[in-house]
Amino acid sequence: MNHTNTISGDSTDRVDGRDKVTGTAKYTAEIPLPNLVYGVLVGSTIAKGVIKKIDTSAAEKAAGVISVITHKNSTKLFGLKKSKTAKKLDLGLRVFHSKDIVFNGQPIALVVADRLEQAQYAASLVKCTYEQAPHTTDFGTHLDQARPSSSKWLSDTKRGDVTAWSNAPFKVDQAYTTPQEVHNPMEMHSTTAIWEGDEKLTVYDKNHAVQDIRDTLAKALKLEKEQVVVNSEFIGGGFGSGLRVWPHTFAAIIAAKMLKRPVKVSVTRPQMFTMTGYRPATAQKVSIGATKDGKIVGIKHEAIGQTSEYEEFAESVTGITKMLYACPNLETNYKVLPLTYSTPIWMRAPGEATGSFALETAMDELAYSLNMDPVQLRKKNYAETHPDDNKPWSSNHLTECLIKAARQFDWEARKPEPRSSSDRDWWVGTGMAVGSWGAWRAPATARAVLDSKGNLLIQSATSDMGPGTSTTMVKIASDASGIPMGKIRFELGKSNLPPSPGQGGSVTVASVGSAVYDICTEIKQKLLDIAVETLGETYKEAKIEDVFLINGKMGIKGKPASLVTFADLMEKKNITEVEATKTSSSGEEGGKYAFYSFGAHFAEVYVHKYTGAVRVTRFVSCVDAGRIMNNKTASSQISGAVVMGIGMALMEEQHMDHQHGRLVANDFAGYHIPVQADVPNIEVIFVDKADPYLNKMGAKGLGEIGLIGAAAAIGNAVFHATGKRVRNLPITPDKLI
Amino acid sequence: MAKKNKNPLHTSRRTFFKQSAVLAAVAVTPSTVLEAAENRTFDKAAYALEQVPITLSINGKVQKVMVEPRVTLLDLLREQLGLTGTKKGCDHGQCGACTIHIDGRRVNSCLTLAIMQEGREITTIEGLANGEELHPMQAAFIKHDGLQCGYCTPGQIMSAVACVNEGHTNNDFEIREFMSGNLCRCGAYPNIVNAIKEVAQ
Ligand code: FES
Ligand code: FES
């Protein structure tokens, strides 16, 4: 790729910062609409069985109630009518289309009323009786019932001699578990549906993949894509939970259709645990064999992931083991265990977050059994090429990550013996781990309009769930075009904008950023074409590389006399704006290289000697994500992911009452996420070297990499502090005393 | 914190009187109305019966509104008055996204009923800036990137302003402790501390 590397990388404030700090940014549930009514969902109180009788009479009589919708009276949607179609179209739960109960808390009724309070109260009046069937919710005790995944994109690997690890002189052979985690973005999911006749549907829906959601809805409703508009401009976090259509969205669509008016359905915080996905629990076994000097000879990584009984969700838990270390002999194996519970969904660093916990904890255990420094052990096993197919890395600065983070952390000063350091009533320990995440690029299209005053509008149907996409795109556009940031506006979050991938898998900057970069060149080219056509001599020989834009003018480098205003140029053609649309995708380099981001995490913890409480007191992450487009938002993204890693390591865990197959404590009082007092200062360092092949900016993805390995680094630090190896997340005090 | 009210009894006065008239009317014929409510023939009348007038100052503006006693201050702001800057993150007092000031003190607006606020001065995020000029805390949040998705941000900022006024900013630990009622899933915590430190100085 012709890598141009012109993005400055320095720190820029968020372009939507003002909207967010003044409260003027309108999130999904906040769009003012005339004639709007409120829907509140009622959940089932059993885990499995069928609805015998649902009594909505009291709810219907309550003040303000307009309608109560259940499977008995719901308008039927094409895609949900038959379970076969729903499966084929990947629509998930057939809400209000069946009397079957497949998980506890499954929506069984929607109460619609003039006001929110009326709907909330009336929802409490819906009574339902069931015929119950036995359920299975306990992951840990049913592991023997796991079955191979039917996923087409996941594969088990066998490389070389798969028994090699067991014959090695030094080995680790351990089991690890990670619990069900819940995304819990601060903004709860919400959908407002508006029908115009039966032909046109607009939804304001919290998601971060407006076009995927539109496509799914169009298929489910048997409408053309053009008949469905999905808007999601400001998103209060998502982390993956906004990547599919959930039951509340169908509920809003059904109600709006039946009542012929806009209906808003917002899920409650407890419902966020059952209705909008979660990270599945895993049970893993990692076996590593190594020579005396720390060279890995073989690895075996087996994993079981949780899924639901009505759908299969699979993720790449063992993926990281296939590529992170040079290792001639490898076996990986992944299975799924269906439980009577709702279906999981991608959650930040899906697969890798949990897989890396097992692998990187095992690596720490190996380092101790070898009596070798864990940083050294990673360096020793650095893979020069992708171990699966020997493809060269597009770029891999993992070693530099290790060196830089270790230096910043002062790793050298560490005494390796566990329980060798304390401070008053606290054991003090340090630990490290590394991670990687595939760097992908998907085709993306951008449209740009430049007016005669020099205002540039760029549009693409991408999303910004928090990383600062708008800001980064404006910055890329400014650096690529020469037009100041203040004159550029980036429009996103609407399905009728030019095509773009959903925000997931850390693809946004590499994909949409490329489209933005290219469209700026295209606009320049168009201006140049006009100049060549209308200005004669001066521009005749001009090359696009020599053309620059400044202060509403175009010019040729080294030729001050060539300067011409956009207004003059456009006037010559009798136009008021220049417009272009362009799709960008990766070239043939895509198949030649292995593309990954890398990171190294170093943590210090204090563990209280008598209570087992763990405090993370220091954290340093060094990340190789190619060239950094905007230091400010990029650092925030990494440190935010580390915060999620602290949650994963020390507190996040969804509890289930297996007798009733029901979640317990499904709110922020029962499910702990890190609060301000749990988080130390987090130091983020970037290698900041351009990837030569992924795109012209040299950027790789940032969204997931900060989380991968973070929990293992903390767990390894806890071991160093206390001498106790906790292999079952989260590392709560009871496991340490 | 609330700015002095310049224009008491602003525009909502007329609607208020209209609605009061409905109330007065139903007061003399309660049985008819109750019957109507039972039959759902006069929903609006039945609804009016459940409404109570309250007067409160919101961002320096005196407002008279009709609320049902069960309406939280948060829902009054967001659903009735269109002040959606105050966020709902849990509705249970567990996240702080709904933090506002009542008579200068920070309060979770989801945990308090609107009807309890008679005569109080409410300040929301929309009332913090001085016209175009951001409150120093708002500016510091932008400068230190104390936000990502921005959803917890109004609550963080309202809490942060109160935290400074309370004097709980003597060191990082104290700030962290006194800001721990405001959750941020994006994990903007360290930058929030930096923003608060700057304003506190
Ligand atoms: S919405 Fe009030 S504390 Fe969460
Ligand atoms: S900025 Fe997203 S929750 Fe705080």
Side-chain angles (χ1 to χ4, degrees), chain A residues 186 188 668, chain B residues 74 87-99 108-111 181:
Chain A
M186 289 313 300
M188 298 179 285
F668 281 135
Chain B
L74 175 60
K87 305 301 182 194
K88 184 185 280 190
C90 69
D91 218 10
H92 279 62
Q94 297 167 345
C95 78
C98 63
T99 308
N108 286 345
S109 62
C110 71
L111 275 195

Side-chain angles (χ1 to χ4, degrees), chain A residues 9 14 239 348-349 401 436-440 465-469 472 476 503-511 596-599 601 621-642 684-689 694-695 698-708, chain B residues 145 148:
Chain A
R14 286 169 197 266
F239 317 107
R348 196 176 209 169
C401 289
S436 74
W437 178 259
W440 289 291
M465 63 167 131
T469 309
T472 308
I476 290 173
Q503 190 156 56
S506 303
V507 302
T508 307
V509 167
S511 314
Y596 288 86
S597 294
F598 297 89
H601 302 292
S621 288
C622 182
V623 168
D624 161 25
R627 275 284 279 143
I628 299 306
M629 299 289 102
N630 181 10
N631 254 308
K632 197 172 216 168
T633 51
S635 304
S636 294
Q637 207 177 350
I638 295 298
S639 93
V642 169
V684 178
I685 308 163
F686 292 113
V687 172
D688 201 11
K689 285 187 181 153
L694 190 64
N695 52 58
K700 300 193 271 191
L702 269 176
E704 339 276 328
I705 188 67
L707 177 56
I708 303 165
Chain B
D145 210 30
Q148 292 183 37

Side-chain angles (χ1 to χ4, degrees), chain B residues 11-27:
Chain B
T11 53
S12 64
R13 181 178 187 161
R14 275 177 58 190
T15 16
F16 169 67
F17 281 132
K18 260 197 240 158
Q19 283 164 333
S20 313
V22 175
L23 258 190
V26 299

Side-chain angles (χ1 to χ4, degrees), chain A residues 157-166 298-300 329-331:
Chain A
T157 304
K158 281 191 177 151
R159 191 194 296 158
D161 172 11
V162 296
T163 61
W165 72 268
S166 59
I299 309 182
K300 181 175 183 183
N329 306 303
L330 175 84
E331 182 178 10

Side-chain angles (χ1 to χ4, degrees), chain A residues 291-508:
Chain A
T291 60
K292 197 171 88 214
D293 60 351
K295 198 93 196 90
I296 295 174
V297 294
I299 309 182
K300 181 175 183 183
H301 188 171
E302 297 169 281
I304 298 173
Q306 166 188 12
T307 185
S308 73
E309 286 172 347
Y310 59 99
E311 283 180 291
E312 181 178 308
F313 174 84
E315 58 181 8
S316 174
V317 179
T318 61
I320 194 165
T321 309
K322 299 178 192 178
M323 50 66 61
L324 195 50
Y325 299 113
C327 166
N329 306 303
L330 175 84
E331 182 178 10
T332 70
N333 180 297
Y334 173 75
K335 287 182 178 159
V336 287
L337 172 59
L339 295 176
T340 319
Y341 194 57
S342 58
T343 310
I345 187 72
W346 319 113
M347 177 167 159
R348 196 176 209 169
E352 264 76 354
T354 46
S356 70
F357 169 70
L359 177 66
E360 286 297 285
T361 307
M363 284 294 282
D364 201 60
E365 300 192 54
L366 180 65
Y368 274 99
S369 82
L370 288 160
N371 205 5
M372 185 174 184
D373 177 61
V375 175
Q376 247 1 82
L377 178 65
R378 266 93 176 173
K379 284 188 189 161
K380 177 119 201 162
N381 290 286
Y382 174 80
E384 295 291 343
T385 57
H386 193 297
D388 249 354
D389 49 17
N390 284 321
K391 263 190 200 165
W393 305 111
S394 64
S395 56
N396 179 342
H397 301 294
L398 179 58
T399 307
E400 191 171 335
C401 289
L402 282 166
I403 292 168
K404 285 200 159 136
R407 194 188 304 136
Q408 181 67 22
F409 192 82
D410 196 18
W411 183 257
E412 289 281 289
R414 178 190 200 241
K415 279 187 282 172
E417 297 73 36
R419 232 181 231 252
S420 58
S421 169
S422 70
D423 181 357
R424 289 156 297 154
D425 286 345
W426 301 79
W427 296 113
V428 182
T430 53
M432 56 77 58
V434 301
S436 74
W437 178 259
W440 289 291
R441 174 174 171 188
T445 308
R447 173 176 180 262
V449 184
L450 177 71
D451 72 13
S452 58
K453 295 200 184 75
N455 297 305
L456 181 65
L457 168 71
I458 303 182
Q459 303 171 309
S460 189
T462 182
S463 302
D464 187 353
M465 63 167 131
T469 309
S470 309
T471 310
T472 308
M473 294 306 149
V474 168
K475 189 147 185 309
I476 290 173
S478 176
D479 288 354
S481 67
I483 295 171
M485 285 187 64
K487 292 221 143 211
I488 304 175
R489 194 161 72 81
F490 184 71
E491 202 184 345
L492 48 49
K494 296 179 184 136
S495 65
N496 52 16
L497 296 175
S500 164
Q503 190 156 56
S506 303
V507 302
T508 307

